[in-house]
């Protein structure tokens, strides 16, 4: 069984910074990609940033230049550094991992962590 455990998040005023991290544990062959999605109030869950094992990165246009995603393959951890936060960044941030089990591929989600940016 694979588990994604998230930490970080919280409340900050606009212009501030927050960090969220996620660590994968359990039995698996390798992690293909890890990333963060967010779901704002009354909105669908959308990609924020993702990074694959080779460190190729994709960001949502709305966070480019403000957020930085990084990954520690040895620790199965992905971190999202969020700077210059704006109220529109408010939402529940979910960690996502796409994992290879030797034969099958599966996507996993963390429980979500709240990020609130006040104006």
């Amino acid at each position: 069984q694979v588990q994604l455990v998230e930490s970080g998040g919280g409340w900050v005023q606009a212009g501030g910074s927050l960090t969220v991290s996620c660590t994968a544990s359990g039995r698996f062959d390798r992690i293909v990609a890890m990333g963060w999605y967010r779901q704002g109030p009354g909105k669908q869950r959308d990609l924020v940033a993702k990074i694959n094992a080779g460190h190729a990165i994709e960001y949502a246009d709305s966070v480019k230049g403000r957020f930085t995603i990084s990954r520690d393959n040895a620790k199965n951890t992905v971190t999202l550094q969020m700077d210059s936060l704006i109220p529109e960044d408010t939402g529940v941030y979910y960690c996502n991992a796409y994992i290879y089990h030797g034969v099958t591929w599966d996507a996993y989600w963390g429980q979500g962590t709240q990020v609130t940016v006040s104006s």
Side-chain angles (χ1 to χ4, degrees):
Q1 185 71 16
V2 175
Q3 284 190 317
L4 301 181
V5 179
E6 300 152 340
S7 61
W11 177 91
V12 69
Q13 288 188 322
S17 298
L18 287 173
T19 302
V20 289
S21 294
C22 171
T23 298
S25 63
R27 296 175 61 87
F28 49 85
D29 188 336
R30 59 185 172 93
I31 300 174
V32 175
M34 297 185 81
W36 290 93
Y37 289 69
R38 72 183 174 201
Q39 188 166 15
K43 298 181 179 179
Q44 65 181 20
R45 189 178 300 184
D46 291 323
L47 173 70
V48 176
K50 64 180 179 181
I51 181 170
N52 68 18
H55 296 274
I57 292 172
E58 178 181 349
Y59 291 106
D61 288 341
S62 61
V63 307
K64 286 180 180 177
R66 301 188 297 118
F67 290 12
T68 303
I69 191 170
S70 61
R71 177 173 170 175
D72 186 333
N73 290 334
K75 296 181 179 180
N76 297 324
T77 297
V78 62
T79 299
L80 185 68
Q81 174 65 39
M82 303 180 286
D83 299 318
S84 302
L85 284 158
I86 59 178
E88 290 74 15
D89 294 320
T90 294
V92 179
Y93 282 66
Y94 295 92
C95 177
N96 170 265
Y98 194 47
I99 291 177
Y100 180 57
H101 292 286
V103 176
T104 60
W105 307 76
D106 288 300
Y108 296 87
W109 294 92
Q111 77 280 3
T113 185
Q114 178 69 43
V115 169
T116 303
V117 185
S118 66
S119 59

